[in-house]
Amino acid sequence: MPNYHGLFVILSSLLPCIIFLIVFISIDGFIKGVIIQNHLPNSLILLGREEVDFSVSILRNNIHNLQSILSLEILSTDSANSLYNYYFFYRAGFLTLIICITTFLAYLAGKKLNVRFDARRNVEKILKFIFFVFSIVAVLTTFGIILSLIFETVRFFSQVSFSEFLFGIHWSPQTAIREGQVGSSGSFGAIPIFTGTLLITAISMLIAVPLGLYSAIYLSQYARPKVRNYFKPILEILAGIPTVVYGFFAALSVGPFIRSTGESLGLTVSTESALAAGLVMGIMIIPYVSSLSDDVMTAVPESLRDGSLALGATKSETIRKVIFPAALPGIVGAILLAISRAIGETMIVVMAAGLAANLTANPLSAVTTVTVQIVTLLVGDQEFDSPKTLAAFALGLVLFFITLVLNILAMVTVRKYRERYE
Amino acid sequence: MVDGTENDIKPNGNYSSDNNLLIDCKNVDVFYGDKQALYNVSLGINEKEVTSLIGPSGCGKSTFLRCLNRMNDVIDSCSISGNITINGEDIYNPNIDVVELRSRIGMVFQKPNPFPKSVFDNVAYGPRLHGKIADKDEMSHKVEASLVRAGLWDEIKDRLNEPGTSLSGGQQQRLCIARAIAVDPEIILMDEPCSALDPIATAKIEELIDELKTNYTIVIVTHSMQQAARVSQRTAFFHLGNLIEVGDTENIFRSPENEQTEAYVTGRYG
């Protein structure tokens, strides 16, 4: 197997090379910092930690070019030269080392090859390792995201009390960037935005559940196969439309329509309303409900349907009394998934429901949701450690937790349902 | 097609029963799309007797059974011609109420198919559906009576609230029979009711069929010739969509008139 012998040499030399390169890239920033700190003049260090950090960070970005190090005028010409050379040699040295190791490994691997060497099985082992590493990357990333959410949230709660966040009814996250700025109180009562999320989710489910469920019943029980083959994909296209398209549909068509209708009935309606966002989001979520419900209802064994029909039940009686109850756990799972989708939806709400954190249950007024607030908190200029920015992480963690619980519930109910007929 | 078979059929011939003809089928053809499943079948079924339909797999016996309560309507591609009457009433008359028809004809399927509901609700399903019984006590009597008739009451009288699916296979099948009886049908159709059961459960069901024939007309499809011989008074042999021979069970198994029937019942093919 000459192919496998070649592959074995390539894998066993290039793989460590790639690993070393990754190591190099990830410790590069740290090394730069250490080198730069050693070159900073004492006068600067005396100015305090913030000045040092600032100088290090701008020097780090300019370290590749001697001219730009000099133009920063932080270091003397001598130390600038020395810094540039240090880093240049460090980098060149490290890369040379990698090349040497790679060549050496290739040599070792080549020496290992002979007629009796089982390259095929060794390649298999290496490939297994590669696949393992890739799967680990996905898992570690997930943990990384959760951990960063948790750490930033802990920082947030060191500045804002836990009870204020969870039970406060006033949300206005603007904090002062400068001392004594007007309107800089900054309060972080998250109740209004959670009720806003709840309101919009509720409206969208009021649309999506009946529409999705009834179309699923039609498609799985009544429609001829031909009709089903056309209808199902068309319905599923709804899930493929970019949410930003739904967003401007909600903001430009549905919102004004609701407003003018409401006004002709003598109601005050704001152009940006929970109703507009909820309605359009409901339409978007229909396929989440219908597709999965359709699947679980189709999966109800034919024998149950026949059993009911043979007892003299009509088709709708059979659906209501046998198929629907049998499929209910799966349908509940579908609805839970749809809810977590609705809670996580951002774009439609940004465009159609507004930004005002009103504590209200009136679907005709503007409300805001958790996701929208996260977006507004992080857009634009701000300090990274202000409570305003950190609040986004706290909101994100709560959101993550809610959708996680919903997804687990959905998974458990769907699985329970599966066990039943096997 | 088997040559010359049609001439050999004596649809209602040589049986020695005093019972009346209840179901009369004449020249029934069934198609699934372009494929013909039954060829010109004519068969009479007597009241309060067990008629068994035997034959190799795919011979059309289940298809024929499903014609009798119009369960083939569920299949889109299925079309039926010919004439089937029950008590002289044409069941394929467009004016007939299929739902009402099915409530007069119970059906028991190959695989036990209790609904994912309690034992009680399974039996009460039919009566509730047809609104025959409004009173709660009366309903429990009905459920009890049906379970007693299906020979299941003593085994599960304390388990009425457990799901029907938690019973054993044989119990499930008897529950399905109880469910069918609860609607007070005239006829019970059974499509290989014992094929998923062990011999002991099968023996119980066969015993039950024997008892039920005093009140009901039973048509049973079976793969087991011993079963046909044990439970039925009349036997019809199907092959490749044709009704080859029908007659008293004893005659069919002892001295069949047709060579194919003889070959099948003696186990030489099929």
Side-chain angles (χ1 to χ4, degrees), chain B residues 67-140:
Chain B
C67 286
L68 301 180
N69 65 344
R70 294 191 56 175
M71 280 302 280
N72 282 332
D73 293 12
V74 177
I75 302 159
D76 282 334
S77 61
C78 184
S79 61
I80 297 157
S81 67
N83 190 289
I84 301 177
T85 58
I86 294 178
N87 273 332
E89 185 189 16
D90 179 6
I91 63 165
Y92 281 90
N93 185 318
N95 295 324
I96 202 160
D97 178 0
V98 180
V99 167
E100 197 268 339
L101 172 79
R102 288 188 189 138
S103 73
R104 286 193 284 140
I105 306 174
M107 189 169 198
V108 178
F109 295 83
Q110 189 168 353
K111 233 182 98 195
N113 59 346
F115 300 133
K117 300 170 184 288
S118 71
V119 170
F120 186 93
D121 287 343
N122 260 286
V123 182
Y125 183 83
R128 273 184 194 147
L129 208 59
H130 302 300
K132 282 180 184 161
I133 301 167
D135 186 54
K136 228 179 163 184
D137 286 344
E138 209 181 320
M139 181 63 87
S140 5

Side-chain angles (χ1 to χ4, degrees), chain B residues 6 12 59 74 81 88 93 114 162 180 183 211-213 228 241 253 258:
Chain B
E6 274 161 45
N12 297 312
C59 67
V74 177
S81 67
N93 185 318
E162 284 178 33
V183 221
E211 285 166 23
L212 289 174
K213 75 164 190 289
F253 283 97
N258 188 288

Side-chain angles (χ1 to χ4, degrees), chain B residues 110 112 155 167-174 192-207 224 227 230:
Chain B
Q110 189 168 353
E155 288 170 52
L167 302 179
S168 74
Q171 289 176 330
Q172 284 188 17
Q173 195 61 299
R174 278 179 287 152
E192 299 179 38
C194 301
S195 63
L197 305 179
D198 66 44
I200 293 168
T202 302
K204 280 194 176 157
I205 302 252
E206 285 179 6
E207 231 171 82
S224 153
Q227 185 169 64
R230 280 192 300 260

Side-chain angles (χ1 to χ4, degrees), chain A residues 370-419:
Chain A
V370 178
T371 49
V372 171
Q373 282 310 308
I374 293 177
V375 171
T376 48
L377 288 174
L378 293 180
V379 169
D381 292 335
Q382 61 251 306
E383 293 168 78
F384 197 65
D385 52 358
S386 75
K388 184 188 166 195
T389 318
L390 292 175
F393 287 97
L395 289 177
L397 188 68
V398 176
L399 197 63
F400 170 75
F401 189 72
I402 292 172
T403 47
L404 181 73
V405 169
L406 283 174
N407 282 341
I408 289 174
L409 275 179
M411 255 159 59
V412 169
T413 47
V414 171
R415 192 178 304 150
K416 213 171 161 190
Y417 164 77
R418 284 221 180 97
E419 280 166 2

Side-chain angles (χ1 to χ4, degrees), chain A residues 58-130:
Chain A
I58 58 168
L59 276 172
R60 191 182 282 158
N61 293 334
N62 292 293
I63 201 163
H64 298 278
N65 190 325
L66 187 57
Q67 288 309 315
S68 40
I69 298 177
L70 287 171
S71 68
L72 288 173
E73 297 180 344
I74 297 172
L75 305 176
S76 62
T77 319
D78 278 350
S79 38
N81 264 320
S82 146
L83 173 66
Y84 178 75
N85 289 333
Y86 255 96
Y87 182 69
F88 180 82
F89 283 117
Y90 152 73
R91 203 173 44 161
F94 204 104
L95 291 178
T96 322
L97 188 70
I98 291 176
I99 291 167
C100 289
I101 291 174
T102 307
T103 325
F104 180 64
L105 284 173
Y107 167 72
L108 277 188
K111 221 177 126 186
K112 230 177 155 181
L113 295 183
N114 59 46
V115 187
R116 292 203 354 241
F117 178 67
D118 190 354
R120 225 168 124 196
R121 236 180 47 213
N122 280 291
V123 167
E124 201 62 35
K125 275 184 202 160
I126 297 172
L127 287 180
K128 189 177 140 196
F129 173 73
I130 294 176

Side-chain angles (χ1 to χ4, degrees), chain A residues 158-187:
Chain A
S158 68
Q159 296 178 35
V160 174
S161 81
F162 195 66
S163 58
E164 189 202 330
F165 177 72
L166 276 190
F167 305 113
I169 56 164
H170 189 63
W171 177 266
S172 104
Q174 301 308 323
T175 44
I177 295 175
R178 286 171 278 110
E179 292 288 321
Q181 202 174 5
V182 187
S184 61
S185 51
S187 59

Side-chain angles (χ1 to χ4, degrees), chain A residues 223-225 302-315 317-318 321-322 325-326 420-421, chain B residues 66 69 71 74 76 99 102-103 105-107 109 113-117 125-126 128-130 179-180 183:
Chain A
R224 290 168 172 281
E302 194 89 326
S303 65
L304 287 184
R305 204 177 68 166
D306 285 357
S308 172
L309 290 175
L311 283 168
T314 64
K315 208 159 186 180
E317 283 167 339
T318 301
K321 297 190 167 167
V322 174
R420 210 147 165 187
Y421 293 112
Chain B
R66 290 168 70 96
N69 65 344
M71 280 302 280
V74 177
D76 282 334
V99 167
R102 288 188 189 138
S103 73
I105 306 174
M107 189 169 198
F109 295 83
N113 59 346
F115 300 133
K117 300 170 184 288
Y125 183 83
R128 273 184 194 147
L129 208 59
H130 302 300
R179 188 174 70 185
V183 221

